[in-house]
Amino acid sequence: DPRDVLRQYAWYQENANGRTWPVGQIRPNDFGLFDVHGNVREWCSDGDGELRVLRGGSFPTPSVLLGASVRNESRPSTVRNINFGLRVARTFQW
């Protein structure tokens, strides 16, 4: 069952017990990133006008809607939503 594998990498409706979890409690993806799918939706830099894109699903999201390609939109003024978060990233010079 694909959901057995998903439970090892994502917090979502079926395993999150209705709450967020500290990052790093489950396995990272192949790039070493934790919680890319599930836990909280992540604000992304793409979008236009008043709306910005959120990706990745969150803890109340069903498994079929967790893909990073699934886009949700919201206004950045919606800052107090337990389902939204952000990922701090850094570019390295090689």
Side-chain angles (χ1 to χ4, degrees):
D1 185 357
R3 288 176 295 185
D4 291 335
V5 174
L6 184 59
R7 284 185 187 97
Q8 297 177 37
Y9 296 91
W11 295 113
Y12 61 104
Q13 188 179 54
E14 294 177 23
N15 70 344
N17 296 321
R19 68 183 191 96
T20 60
W21 290 84
V23 173
Q25 301 296 304
I26 52 179
R27 291 183 178 183
N29 67 12
D30 290 343
F31 298 105
L33 301 173
F34 290 91
D35 299 337
V36 173
H37 304 292
N39 211 19
V40 295
R41 290 185 174 125
E42 296 179 3
W43 287 107
C44 297
S45 63
D46 49 350
D48 57 3
E50 293 182 27
L51 297 177
R52 292 290 179 252
V53 172
L54 293 143
R55 293 182 186 260
S58 61
F59 66 91
T61 303
S63 60
V64 296
L65 297 176
L66 282 183
S69 63
V70 175
R71 295 167 53 108
N72 299 281
E73 293 181 324
S74 187
R75 289 179 169 73
S77 59
T78 310
V79 294
R80 291 192 159 201
N81 187 320
I82 195 167
N83 297 326
F84 299 171
L86 73 113
R87 180 174 302 274
V88 177
R90 180 177 179 185
T91 302
F92 289 94
Q93 296 294 326
W94 295 95

